[in-house]
Amino acid sequence: YIGERQYLNKNLSSVLLSQFIESYIHSPFSACFVDPDTANLAAIRTYETCGFVAVKQLSQPPITCMVKK
């Protein structure tokens, strides 16, 4: 439902993603990795809001490697 029009621009994705990471990822792991399409600036901004940092960009496929520790 994050992509549904009535839920856009309400900061839901970053809140839900942060809660998910804290509940399910950071307990057993020390870091989380995501690789959004480099053209998907909304996704990259959302990940940055959640504390992810871009560590590398690849051209083929065009992805931005991001890590949250």
Side-chain angles (χ1 to χ4, degrees):
Y1 66 85
I2 293 172
E4 297 293 327
R5 184 170 301 278
Q6 67 266 27
Y7 297 110
L8 293 178
N9 301 315
K10 298 190 184 295
N11 199 32
L12 288 176
S13 55
S14 59
V15 170
L16 294 172
L17 183 59
S18 291
Q19 288 177 353
F20 177 82
I21 291 169
E22 290 305 315
S23 296
Y24 298 102
I25 305 298
H26 276 165
S27 296
F29 303 102
S30 61
C32 182
F33 171 83
V34 293
D35 59 346
D37 187 302
T38 300
N40 191 344
L41 298 179
I44 291 171
R45 280 192 303 271
T46 297
Y47 289 126
E48 288 173 336
T49 299
C50 294
F52 283 83
V53 177
V55 292
K56 187 171 188 174
Q57 280 190 333
L58 302 177
S59 57
Q60 289 299 321
I63 59 173
T64 299
C65 302
M66 304 180 81
V67 174
K68 175 182 170 100
K69 293 184 178 185

